[in-house]
Structure formats: C-alpha cells, structure tokens
Amino acid sequence: MRSPLHLVVIQVVVLAGLASIAGCSTGSPPAAATSTTAIPAAAGTTAALTTGGKVHLTAYTDNDGPTATVILAGAVGDYGKAQSVNPDGSVNTEHSSQFNLALTRGSFRLDIAALDKEFVAVLGNLAVNTTTCSGTASVHGTVPVVAGSGTGAYRGIGGTFDLTFTLDEVYRTNACSESGAYLSQSIVIAGPGSVSFGATGS
C-alpha cells in the first residue's frame, strides 16, 4: 500500500482500507472518491435504537481507494459502505482520520487516526517474501465511535471497537517489494465492539 488503513485494517478493511487504509501500492487504480451517503433505508427502519451490546464489524476491499464494504452483526445488524473521511465529511484518501459507516438504517463514524498511524509505520518496515513476491502486515487496537456522529437509527450511539487492520499483497515478479505494483491485494478491518445508545446525536 502506498497511500491500511490500510485498517482495515482496513481500502476495514478496516478496515477498506481499513489500511486502505493507508499507503498501499498502486498496482490497481484506487476507487473513485464518492460522497458519504447512506444506502437508502427500508421504510420504517430509521427509528433510533435504544439498546446496545456486543457487535462484530468486518470491512473489506481489494484496492487502495477510500471505500470498503462493511457488515455489522450482533447488537447492530446492518450493512453498507465504509469510507475514509475527514471530520468535515470530505473524502480522506490517506485513511488518516475517520471511517464513516454508511449503513441501511443510518450512519456513524469511527476514529481510526491513531490505529492507521501505527499501520503506516508497520508498512514502512514490511518484510516481503522475495521467493513468493508477497507480503502481509497487521496491527490492532481500540477504535472509538466518534461522539455525536450517529444519524438515523444510530443517533446517540457510543462505544468502542477492538479492530485489526490486515493487509495481504502479491507483487509483480519484476517489482518484488512493498513499493512495487501489486497483482492482488486484500485489506480487511475486523473485530468486536461494544456500543450503547443515549449520547447526544448529531
């Protein structure tokens, strides 16, 4: 990865990314930047949730762009797209700030800045297997829900996720290094979390 979030990590991943996330190689062009719009909700599904609990998140992508597919199961059962964004909602192609989860019943954000920074550091020292021209890297840590970021059914959401950003890449034989173009890439951001509802929403 040249730009992970990798986390995801990440394209989540997470990460996306997640790593996607950050600094991935450019063997394939990144996905086009898009706005952070939630998937249209089914009628009658946007009422705010009132209970929380244990959740598991998985976000995944096969490129270095800012967008990943995301699924949540458990106390939150939903799916959609995750996108690396800045606090103002603009797309963040470096995966260095927030991860917006645009789901079918609303959206909320995760603060991935600290974990992505660790992921980028790991990628800077990535050991490539020159026999198979492949490499892998991962980091994990606690990622908080951004306070006040919940919309729709996720208005008032709070909590944390224990996420792992994992990158796997296979490189071209004539460019067998993490800085070289890749033939195939997977970025996954996954892990358990605990959420609650009742905080002031946005």
Side-chain angles (χ1 to χ4, degrees), residues 69-148:
T69 297
V70 64
I71 299 173
L72 292 98
V76 173
D78 210 343
Y79 64 94
K81 296 295 181 182
Q83 188 173 65
S84 293
V85 299
N86 296 307
D88 65 2
S90 61
V91 176
N92 180 318
T93 58
E94 298 300 315
H95 313 281
S96 60
S97 185
Q98 299 179 358
F99 208 38
N100 184 61
L101 309 183
L103 308 169
T104 65
R105 297 194 294 162
S107 65
F108 64 93
R109 299 183 187 184
L110 302 178
D111 184 348
I112 62 170
L115 190 54
D116 179 73
K117 186 175 181 179
E118 291 183 32
F119 197 47
V120 171
V122 169
L123 292 178
N125 297 299
L126 180 66
V128 174
N129 184 320
T130 56
T131 300
T132 62
C133 280
S134 63
T136 185
S138 67
V139 297
H140 88 275
T142 301
V143 173
V145 173
V146 176

Side-chain angles (χ1 to χ4, degrees), residues 112-185:
I112 62 170
L115 190 54
D116 179 73
K117 186 175 181 179
E118 291 183 32
F119 197 47
V120 171
V122 169
L123 292 178
N125 297 299
L126 180 66
V128 174
N129 184 320
T130 56
T131 300
T132 62
C133 280
S134 63
T136 185
S138 67
V139 297
H140 88 275
T142 301
V143 173
V145 173
V146 176
S149 66
T151 69
Y154 306 109
R155 185 177 178 85
I157 192 171
T160 59
F161 286 80
D162 184 18
L163 297 182
T164 299
F165 291 5
T166 303
L167 165 74
D168 291 312
E169 287 183 325
V170 176
Y171 309 103
R172 299 180 188 278
T173 55
N174 62 349
C176 194
S177 71
E178 200 277 330
S179 61
Y182 60 80
L183 292 171
S184 187
Q185 177 192 76

